[in-house]
Coordinates of all heavy atoms in Angstrom, one line a residue:
S1 N 4.1 0.3 -5.4 CA 2.8 0.7 -6.0 C 2.8 0.7 -7.5 O 1.8 0.6 -8.2 CB 2.4 2.1 -5.5 OG 3.4 3.1 -5.9
S2 N 4.0 0.6 -8.1 CA 4.1 0.6 -9.6 C 4.2 -0.9 -10.1 O 4.0 -1.1 -11.3 CB 5.3 1.3 -10.1 OG 6.5 0.7 -9.7
E3 N 4.3 -1.9 -9.2 CA 4.3 -3.3 -9.6 C 3.0 -3.7 -10.1 O 1.9 -3.4 -9.4 CB 4.7 -4.1 -8.4 CG 6.1 -4.0 -8.0 CD 6.4 -4.8 -6.7 OE1 5.5 -5.5 -6.2 OE2 7.6 -4.8 -6.3
P4 N 2.9 -4.4 -11.1 CA 1.6 -4.9 -11.6 C 1.2 -6.1 -10.6 O 2.1 -6.8 -10.1 CB 1.9 -5.4 -13.0 CG 3.3 -5.7 -13.0 CD 4.0 -4.8 -12.1
G5 N 0.0 -6.3 -10.4 CA -0.4 -7.4 -9.5 C -1.5 -7.0 -8.6 O -2.1 -5.9 -8.6
A6 N -1.7 -7.8 -7.6 CA -2.7 -7.7 -6.6 C -2.4 -6.5 -5.6 O -1.3 -6.3 -5.2 CB -2.9 -8.9 -5.8
V7 N -3.5 -5.8 -5.3 CA -3.4 -4.7 -4.3 C -3.1 -5.3 -3.0 O -2.4 -4.7 -2.2 CB -4.7 -4.0 -4.3 CG1 -4.7 -2.9 -3.2 CG2 -5.0 -3.3 -5.6
E8 N -3.6 -6.5 -2.7 CA -3.4 -7.2 -1.4 C -1.9 -7.3 -1.1 O -1.5 -7.1 0.1 CB -4.0 -8.6 -1.4 CG -4.2 -9.2 -0.1 CD -5.2 -8.4 0.8 OE1 -6.1 -7.8 0.3 OE2 -4.9 -8.4 2.0
S9 N -1.1 -7.6 -2.1 CA 0.4 -7.7 -1.9 C 1.0 -6.4 -1.4 O 1.8 -6.4 -0.6 CB 1.0 -8.2 -3.2 OG 2.4 -8.2 -3.1
C10 N 0.6 -5.3 -2.0 CA 1.1 -4.0 -1.6 C 0.7 -3.7 -0.2 O 1.4 -3.2 0.6 CB 0.6 -2.9 -2.5 SG 1.2 -3.0 -4.2
Y11 N -0.6 -4.0 0.2 CA -1.1 -3.8 1.5 C -0.2 -4.6 2.5 O 0.2 -4.0 3.6 CB -2.5 -4.2 1.7 CG -3.5 -3.1 1.4 CD1 -3.8 -2.8 0.1 CD2 -4.0 -2.3 2.4 CE1 -4.7 -1.8 -0.2 CE2 -4.9 -1.3 2.1 CZ -5.2 -1.0 0.8 OH -6.1 0.0 0.5
R12 N 0.1 -5.8 2.2 CA 0.9 -6.7 3.1 C 2.3 -6.1 3.3 O 2.8 -6.0 4.4 CB 1.0 -8.1 2.6 CG -0.3 -8.9 2.9 CD -0.1 -10.4 2.8 NE 0.5 -10.7 1.5 CZ -0.2 -11.0 0.4 NH1 -1.5 -11.0 0.4 NH2 0.4 -11.3 -0.8
K13 N 2.9 -5.6 2.2 CA 4.3 -5.1 2.3 C 4.3 -3.8 3.2 O 5.2 -3.6 4.0 CB 4.8 -4.8 0.9 CG 5.0 -6.1 0.1 CD 5.4 -5.8 -1.3 CE 5.7 -7.0 -2.1 NZ 6.0 -6.8 -3.5
L14 N 3.3 -2.9 3.0 CA 3.2 -1.7 3.8 C 3.0 -2.0 5.2 O 3.5 -1.4 6.2 CB 2.2 -0.7 3.2 CG 2.5 -0.2 1.9 CD1 1.4 0.8 1.4 CD2 3.9 0.5 1.8
T15 N 2.2 -3.0 5.5 CA 1.8 -3.4 6.8 C 3.1 -3.9 7.6 O 3.3 -3.6 8.7 CB 0.8 -4.6 6.9 OG1 -0.5 -4.0 6.3 CG2 0.5 -5.0 8.2
E16 N 3.9 -4.6 6.8 CA 5.2 -5.2 7.5 C 6.1 -4.0 7.7 O 6.8 -4.1 8.7 CB 5.8 -6.2 6.6 CG 5.0 -7.5 6.5 CD 4.6 -8.1 7.8 OE1 5.5 -8.0 8.8 OE2 3.5 -8.5 8.0
V17 N 6.2 -3.0 6.9 CA 7.0 -1.8 7.2 C 6.5 -1.2 8.5 O 7.3 -0.8 9.4 CB 7.0 -0.8 6.0 CG1 7.7 0.5 6.5 CG2 7.8 -1.4 4.9
R18 N 5.2 -1.0 8.6 CA 4.6 -0.4 9.8 C 4.9 -1.3 11.1 O 5.2 -0.8 12.2 CB 3.1 -0.2 9.6 CG 2.8 0.8 8.6 CD 1.3 1.0 8.4 NE 0.9 1.6 7.2 CZ 0.8 2.9 7.0 NH1 1.1 3.8 8.0 NH2 0.4 3.4 5.9
R19 N 4.8 -2.6 10.9 CA 5.1 -3.5 12.0 C 6.6 -3.4 12.4 O 6.9 -3.3 13.7 CB 4.9 -4.9 11.6 CG 5.0 -5.9 12.7 CD 4.8 -7.4 12.3 NE 3.8 -7.6 11.3 CZ 2.6 -7.9 11.4 NH1 2.1 -8.1 12.6 NH2 1.7 -8.1 10.4
L20 N 7.5 -3.3 11.5 CA 8.9 -3.0 11.8 C 9.1 -1.7 12.6 O 9.9 -1.6 13.5 CB 9.7 -3.0 10.5 CG 11.2 -2.8 10.6 CD1 11.8 -3.9 11.4 CD2 11.9 -2.7 9.3
W21 N 8.3 -0.7 12.2 CA 8.4 0.6 12.8 C 7.9 0.5 14.3 O 8.5 1.0 15.2 CB 7.6 1.7 12.1 CG 7.6 3.0 12.8 CD1 8.5 3.9 12.9 CD2 6.5 3.4 13.6 NE1 8.2 4.9 13.7 CE2 6.9 4.7 14.2 CE3 5.3 2.9 14.0 CZ2 6.1 5.4 15.0 CZ3 4.5 3.6 14.9 CH2 4.9 4.9 15.4
A22 N 6.8 -0.3 14.5 CA 6.2 -0.5 15.8 C 7.2 -1.1 16.8 O 7.1 -0.8 18.0 CB 4.9 -1.3 15.7
F23 N 8.0 -2.0 16.2 CA 9.0 -2.7 17.1 C 10.4 -2.1 17.1 O 11.4 -2.7 17.4 CB 9.1 -4.2 16.7 CG 7.8 -5.0 17.1 CD1 6.9 -5.3 16.2 CD2 7.6 -5.3 18.5 CE1 5.7 -6.0 16.5 CE2 6.4 -6.0 18.8 CZ 5.5 -6.3 17.8
R24 N 10.5 -0.9 16.7 CA 11.7 -0.2 16.5 C 12.6 -0.1 17.8 O 13.8 -0.2 17.7 CB 11.6 1.2 15.8 CG 10.9 2.2 16.8 CD 10.7 3.5 16.1 NE 11.9 4.2 15.8 CZ 12.7 4.9 16.8 NH1 12.3 4.8 18.0 NH2 13.8 5.4 16.4
S25 N 11.9 0.0 18.9 CA 12.7 0.1 20.1 C 13.4 -1.1 20.5 O 14.4 -1.1 21.3 CB 11.7 0.5 21.3 OG 10.8 -0.5 21.5
V26 N 13.1 -2.3 19.9 CA 13.7 -3.6 20.2 C 15.0 -3.7 19.4 O 15.9 -4.4 19.7 CB 12.8 -4.7 19.8 CG1 13.5 -6.1 20.1 CG2 11.5 -4.6 20.7
L27 N 15.1 -3.0 18.2 CA 16.2 -3.1 17.4 C 17.4 -2.3 17.8 O 17.2 -1.3 18.6 CB 15.8 -2.6 15.9 CG 14.7 -3.5 15.2 CD1 14.2 -2.7 14.0 CD2 15.2 -4.9 14.9
P28 N 18.6 -2.6 17.4 CA 19.7 -1.7 17.7 C 19.5 -0.3 17.0 O 18.9 -0.2 16.0 CB 20.9 -2.5 17.0 CG 20.5 -3.8 16.7 CD 19.0 -3.8 16.7
A29 N 20.1 0.7 17.6 CA 19.9 2.1 17.2 C 20.2 2.2 15.7 O 19.6 3.0 15.0 CB 20.7 3.0 18.0
S30 N 21.2 1.5 15.2 CA 21.7 1.7 13.8 C 20.7 1.1 12.8 O 20.7 1.5 11.6 CB 23.0 1.1 13.6 OG 23.0 -0.3 13.8
M31 N 19.7 0.3 13.3 CA 18.8 -0.4 12.4 C 17.3 0.2 12.6 O 16.4 -0.3 11.9 CB 18.8 -1.9 12.7 CG 20.1 -2.6 12.4 SD 20.1 -4.3 12.9 CE 19.0 -4.9 11.7
R32 N 17.2 1.1 13.4 CA 15.8 1.6 13.7 C 15.3 2.6 12.6 O 16.1 3.3 12.0 CB 15.8 2.4 15.0 CG 16.0 1.5 16.2 CD 16.0 2.4 17.5 NE 16.3 1.5 18.6 CZ 16.7 1.9 19.8 NH1 16.7 3.2 20.0 NH2 16.9 1.1 20.7
L33 N 14.0 2.5 12.4 CA 13.3 3.5 11.6 C 13.2 4.8 12.4 O 13.3 4.8 13.6 CB 12.0 3.0 11.1 CG 12.0 1.9 10.1 CD1 10.6 1.3 9.9 CD2 12.5 2.3 8.8
P34 N 13.0 5.9 11.7 CA 12.9 7.2 12.4 C 11.7 7.1 13.4 O 10.8 6.3 13.3 CB 12.6 8.2 11.3 CG 13.0 7.6 10.1 CD 12.9 6.1 10.3
E35 N 11.7 8.0 14.3 CA 10.6 8.0 15.4 C 9.2 8.4 14.8 O 8.3 7.9 15.3 CB 11.0 9.1 16.5 CG 12.1 8.6 17.4 CD 12.2 9.5 18.6 OE1 11.2 10.0 19.1 OE2 13.4 9.6 19.0
A36 N 9.2 9.2 13.8 CA 7.9 9.5 13.2 C 7.3 8.3 12.5 O 8.1 7.5 11.9 CB 8.1 10.7 12.2
P37 N 6.0 8.1 12.5 CA 5.4 6.9 11.8 C 5.7 7.0 10.3 O 5.8 8.1 9.7 CB 3.9 7.0 12.1 CG 3.8 8.1 13.1 CD 5.0 8.9 13.1
P38 N 5.8 5.8 9.7 CA 6.1 5.8 8.3 C 5.0 6.5 7.5 O 3.8 6.4 7.8 CB 6.1 4.3 7.9 CG 6.4 3.6 9.2 CD 5.8 4.4 10.2
W39 N 5.4 7.3 6.5 CA 4.5 8.0 5.7 C 3.6 8.9 6.5 O 2.4 9.1 6.2 CB 3.7 7.1 4.7 CG 4.6 6.3 3.9 CD1 5.4 6.7 2.9 CD2 4.9 4.9 4.1 NE1 6.1 5.6 2.4 CE2 5.9 4.5 3.1 CE3 4.4 3.9 5.0 CZ2 6.4 3.2 3.0 CZ3 4.9 2.6 4.9 CH2 5.8 2.3 3.9
E40 N 4.1 9.5 7.6 CA 3.4 10.4 8.5 C 2.1 9.8 9.0 O 1.1 10.5 9.3 CB 3.1 11.7 7.8 CG 4.4 12.4 7.4 CD 4.2 13.6 6.6 OE1 3.1 14.1 6.4 OE2 5.2 14.2 6.2
G41 N 2.0 8.4 9.1 CA 0.8 7.8 9.6 C -0.4 7.7 8.7 O -1.5 7.4 9.1
E42 N -0.1 8.1 7.4 CA -1.2 8.1 6.5 C -1.7 6.7 6.2 O -1.0 5.7 6.3 CB -0.7 8.7 5.1 CG -1.8 9.1 4.2 CD -1.3 10.0 3.1 OE1 -0.2 10.5 3.1 OE2 -2.1 10.1 2.1

């Protein structure tokens, strides 16, 4: 969020983190994100 540039780029990056969280059950346990949604689902 502190990077200068397009807001669209920040949205895409956060969307990919959420996508990674959504597929967490497919990943090995050591690579999974926590069970709670990123940023408390905000």
